[in-house]
Amino acid sequence: MKKQFSVLKKLAAVSVLAAFAAPAMAQQAGDNVVNFGWAHIGLNQSSEPLTLGGNFKVPGSGAHVSNADTAILQFTHFFTDNIAVTTDLGIPPKFKLSGEGTLNGLGQLGTATQWSPAVLAKYYFGDANSQFRPYVGAGAAYVWYSNIKLTSSLTNLLGGGDPNASTSADLSSSFVPVANVGAAYNFDKNWSVNFSLSYVPLDTKADLTTRHSDGSVTHATTKITLNPLVSVLTVGYKF
């Protein structure tokens, strides 16, 4: 009897140790995760020549848009242990537009704030107990621009020397696809760190309207391809 009791004690001890050794649940069906961190937006860009009046292309003209960094907020809901949907928000970054080629001497041409909320479906590899979980995702973003400000150097060029001319700009908005890869590393059942890369095939058309002091109105247009690669590093909390 003593021997049987001793065996039972040992089995109980092993069971307790096994319970403590079992990995904590990382992400599973029904979980919600909030991530906050930093995003770097690197542009793979090109631009078409500035077109005046609808048909005259300024020879050798071009434009360059700066890269940008911003804070990002993500909310993820797990529908199963492997399938989740993430909403990306954050502080809209400000981009600077500068002249290139024959427009290089104008320096900075303007600034604009970009809004691009996105929704992505993701597939997480591994299971709910995996500490390291790579994933792939795809979705869409809606991109539009606000606070568009043009410099006097661009207004002077388009105004043709008219000191009272004024120029405004309209940048096209669009729905664009998003491709995403990344990985989450889970420290415990609540806290994790996440790194991801997203590619967005994006371009925008700029319509520049100049109103002259004699009442006439002229237009200039260009198309800028941005195709950003967005790298994101965040800390996540599951609740």
Side-chain angles (χ1 to χ4, degrees), residues 164-187:
N164 296 315
S166 62
T167 300
S168 60
D170 178 66
L171 300 177
S172 62
S173 56
S174 59
F175 281 101
V176 292
V178 180
N180 176 254
V181 295
Y185 182 85
N186 301 290
F187 295 107

Side-chain angles (χ1 to χ4, degrees), residues 65-66 93-98 108-114 145-151 154 169 171:
V65 181
S66 64
K94 178 186 286 188
F95 290 95
K96 298 177 182 179
L97 178 70
S98 300
Q108 186 170 310
L109 304 178
T111 60
T113 298
Q114 184 190 83
Y145 301 87
S146 66
N147 299 322
I148 303 169
K149 297 179 181 179
L150 305 179
T151 61
L154 180 59
L171 300 177

Side-chain angles (χ1 to χ4, degrees), residues 189-223:
K189 66 178 182 178
N190 294 111
W191 292 97
S192 62
V193 64
N194 187 297
F195 177 75
S196 69
L197 290 172
S198 295
Y199 177 72
V200 185
L202 171 66
D203 59 53
T204 184
K205 295 178 181 178
D207 184 4
L208 306 171
T209 302
T210 301
R211 291 173 172 78
H212 302 267
S213 56
D214 62 2
S216 62
V217 177
T218 57
H219 289 272
T221 59
T222 188
K223 179 181 176 181

Side-chain angles (χ1 to χ4, degrees), residues 45-237:
Q45 59 185 291
S46 61
S47 65
E48 295 182 355
L50 183 67
T51 301
L52 304 177
N55 51 28
F56 176 72
K57 295 183 183 296
V58 179
S61 62
H64 177 83
V65 181
S66 64
N67 294 332
D69 294 274
T70 190
I72 188 169
L73 178 67
Q74 301 172 316
F75 177 82
T76 300
H77 176 74
F78 280 80
F79 290 92
T80 72
D81 291 356
N82 299 95
I83 298 174
V85 170
T86 297
T87 301
D88 288 352
L89 302 169
I91 299 175
K94 178 186 286 188
F95 290 95
K96 298 177 182 179
L97 178 70
S98 300
E100 275 197 340
T102 53
L103 300 182
N104 185 61
L106 297 179
Q108 186 170 310
L109 304 178
T111 60
T113 298
Q114 184 190 83
W115 300 75
S116 53
V119 177
L120 293 90
K122 296 178 179 178
Y123 182 84
Y124 282 73
F125 298 93
D127 57 36
N129 291 320
S130 300
Q131 194 167 35
F132 178 72
R133 300 198 72 183
Y135 59 81
V136 294
Y142 183 66
V143 182
W144 76 95
Y145 301 87
S146 66
N147 299 322
I148 303 169
K149 297 179 181 179
L150 305 179
T151 61
S152 57
S153 59
L154 180 59
T155 299
N156 291 338
L157 171 69
L158 299 177
D162 183 350
N164 296 315
S166 62
T167 300
S168 60
D170 178 66
L171 300 177
S172 62
S173 56
S174 59
F175 281 101
V176 292
V178 180
N180 176 254
V181 295
Y185 182 85
N186 301 290
F187 295 107
D188 56 33
K189 66 178 182 178
N190 294 111
W191 292 97
S192 62
V193 64
N194 187 297
F195 177 75
S196 69
L197 290 172
S198 295
Y199 177 72
V200 185
L202 171 66
D203 59 53
T204 184
K205 295 178 181 178
D207 184 4
L208 306 171
T209 302
T210 301
R211 291 173 172 78
H212 302 267
S213 56
D214 62 2
S216 62
V217 177
T218 57
H219 289 272
T221 59
T222 188
K223 179 181 176 181
I224 302 174
T225 298
L226 300 173
N227 291 351
L229 183 64
V230 184
S231 52
V232 175
L233 180 63
T234 61
V235 172
Y237 180 78

